Amino acid sequence: MGYTLILAEKPSQAKAYADALQHTKKQDGYIEVNDGRFFKEKAYITWGYGHLVELLSPEQYNETWKIWRLDQLPMFPGQFRFQVSKDKKKQFNIVKRLLNHSTEIIVATDCDREGENIARSIISLAGASHKPTKRLWINSLEVDEIQKGFRHLNNGNNYLSLYKEAQTRQYSDWLVGMNASRLYTLLLQKQGMKGVFSVGRVQTATLYLLYKRQKEIEEFVSQDYFTFQGKVQVPNGLFEAKHKQRFATKEEAQKVLQEQGILLGMNNGIIQEVKKELKRTKSPKLHSLSSLQSTANKQWKYSPSEVLKIAQSLYEKKVLSYPRTDSHFITDSEFGYIKNNLSNYQECIGVDVEVVYPDAQKRYVDNTKVAEHYALVPTKQTPKFSTLNEKEKIFIKKWLPLL
């Protein structure tokens, strides 16, 4: 009889899985598992370090592509091929050996396109694509969620489309990056410029957006304007009034004041009409990664990469749900445990909030609108501040009140 191999994306993820299982033993590059609750035979957990494999460079397809020349563009490999990253060969060999001696593979990398690509690329290069696969698909690294996930594994073939999507993106990155970088570099060098100019499918488009914004800032010409405002005393109190019209010059504004007989200082007037309106503003939705990054940048000046780094760290410490989500909804299951743990969350950050809506609201809780991942929410595990670094502590204190 063979064994089941669990393929994690990184060592910390593998350790979280091992912590949820019984009778585990750490070895060099993998963990032995003897847990009859989930596996009939012995199981092993192993891991990558992100991308263990990478696409070949141009000269590895064709030696003549090593020299940058315009007449060789575009470079288009007949078939894309992968190789092991130079600094990760030892771990890849461990993973490859375990893959080839297993009878079943559980893909347990991150639950997204990139995670699927990382696992399948390793499996493919190791020559184990013919092995049957199952998929561990969870949104939290808490013990009970991991155990629940192992009890309800999905058919691995159901996720192959995610792998194909990510791999297509990987190919397009190579084609654009390798060809466009050489094209622009060679053309610019003909114009007398020195250096190498990197062009990327995403980076260059993003850089252009930044350039346009910077040009708008540089070319912006501020213009002074004049308006009226003053304090109004009425029997019931004092309020500030502002005139909605703007004037290009001070003389224009003064002319209007003169025409209306308004002098500097105290003036008598009549309030002709009072309108009262009740305005309702919807409460914000639960955060996806992008909305949290946007809010954190506007309110606290955190960069998007910094937000993701902190969120990923908190996810690995089992206090935050899966960070790379684009959903703004949770299911009834998450609502249930959040409601039950609300007092713990409040105590954690030192606030006391009245519960206005004790029942699930469709604006936040909708099972039909949760596909791969739900919104960013705390897990059942209340954060222990002694285990967090300073940025994580600050993040928790600022983020939890946004829920």
Side-chain angles (χ1 to χ4, degrees), residues 231-235 239 260-262 265-273:
K231 294 181 180 179
V232 180
Q233 180 72 50
V234 294
F239 67 90
Q260 300 298 323
I262 299 173
M266 297 290 294
N267 295 272
N268 293 323
I270 298 173
I271 298 176
Q272 294 181 326
E273 185 181 10

Side-chain angles (χ1 to χ4, degrees), residues 50 59 259 323 339 374:
E59 60 271 19
E259 290 173 351
K339 180 180 178 181
Y374 48 78

Side-chain angles (χ1 to χ4, degrees), residues 15-183:
K15 183 180 183 303
Y17 297 153
D19 290 343
L21 302 172
Q22 294 179 351
H23 310 299
T24 63
K25 184 178 181 181
K26 178 74 168 61
Q27 301 287 3
D28 184 17
Y30 64 97
I31 302 170
E32 291 183 15
V33 179
N34 288 281
D35 193 333
R37 299 173 301 168
F38 304 100
F39 313 106
K40 293 180 181 179
E41 305 292 335
K42 181 180 287 188
Y44 294 96
I45 306 172
T46 190
W47 54 85
Y49 294 102
H51 290 274
L52 279 183
V53 300
E54 61 189 11
L55 284 166
L56 269 61
S57 58
E59 60 271 19
Q60 290 175 292
Y61 292 104
N62 186 334
E63 281 190 13
T64 63
W65 287 353
K66 187 172 184 178
I67 300 173
W68 291 29
R69 289 167 45 188
L70 286 173
D71 60 3
Q72 291 180 335
L73 301 179
M75 299 176 294
F76 207 114
Q79 182 178 1
F80 283 101
R81 302 201 306 272
F82 291 82
Q83 64 184 356
V84 181
S85 302
K86 290 181 180 179
D87 59 337
K88 300 172 182 176
K89 287 184 178 179
K90 177 184 176 182
Q91 183 61 20
F92 176 80
N93 289 333
I94 293 172
V95 175
K96 179 180 179 180
R97 175 173 57 81
L98 291 169
L99 282 169
N100 285 319
H101 288 87
S102 67
T103 53
E104 180 183 65
I105 302 167
I106 297 177
V107 176
T109 46
D110 284 353
C111 301
D112 55 20
R113 285 185 289 269
E114 201 56 40
E116 199 69 24
N117 185 29
I118 287 170
R120 295 290 176 175
S121 296
I122 294 170
I123 292 169
S124 176
L125 193 60
S129 295
H130 62 285
K131 300 284 179 96
T133 60
K134 290 185 178 178
R135 193 38 158 122
L136 176 69
W137 196 268
I138 54 178
N139 284 292
S140 168
L141 291 178
E142 292 179 285
V143 169
D144 57 344
E145 287 298 311
I146 292 172
Q147 292 176 345
K148 181 181 176 182
F150 276 118
R151 289 192 182 97
H152 301 91
L153 293 168
N154 301 319
N155 186 328
N157 292 335
N158 295 344
Y159 300 87
L160 286 174
S161 59
L162 295 179
Y163 166 49
K164 294 300 181 183
E165 286 180 44
Q167 193 175 68
T168 301
R169 188 270 310 150
Q170 197 172 13
Y171 293 163
S172 65
D173 282 346
W174 192 100
L175 289 170
V176 173
M178 295 299 179
N179 286 291
S181 295
R182 294 188 178 203
L183 175 64

Side-chain angles (χ1 to χ4, degrees), residues 277-281:
E277 295 181 354
L278 179 62
K279 293 186 177 181
R280 296 181 180 274
T281 302

Side-chain angles (χ1 to χ4, degrees), residues 166-277:
Q167 193 175 68
T168 301
R169 188 270 310 150
Q170 197 172 13
Y171 293 163
S172 65
D173 282 346
W174 192 100
L175 289 170
V176 173
M178 295 299 179
N179 286 291
S181 295
R182 294 188 178 203
L183 175 64
Y184 277 85
T185 295
L186 293 170
L187 291 176
L188 289 170
Q189 285 178 351
K190 281 188 175 183
Q191 301 298 319
M193 300 184 71
K194 296 181 179 180
V196 175
F197 299 89
S198 175
V199 177
R201 180 182 62 90
V202 176
Q203 74 174 41
T204 303
T206 304
L207 182 60
Y208 179 62
L209 292 174
L210 293 172
Y211 166 77
K212 284 182 65 177
R213 182 58 177 162
Q214 183 60 34
K215 291 296 289 183
E216 290 173 0
I217 293 170
E218 290 174 357
E219 295 172 1
F220 174 76
V221 179
S222 62
Q223 292 182 327
D224 293 335
Y225 65 87
F226 298 84
T227 188
F228 309 135
Q229 68 182 55
K231 294 181 180 179
V232 180
Q233 180 72 50
V234 294
N236 294 333
L238 183 73
F239 67 90
E240 190 172 274
K242 292 183 179 180
H243 194 273
K244 63 181 180 181
Q245 188 176 353
R246 293 180 176 183
F247 302 93
T249 66
K250 188 175 183 180
E251 289 72 26
E252 286 182 50
Q254 288 175 332
K255 182 179 179 182
V256 172
L257 292 176
Q258 290 171 359
E259 290 173 351
Q260 300 298 323
I262 299 173
L263 304 173
L264 183 64
M266 297 290 294
N267 295 272
N268 293 323
I270 298 173
I271 298 176
Q272 294 181 326
E273 185 181 10
V274 176
K275 288 183 179 180
K276 290 185 179 181
E277 295 181 354

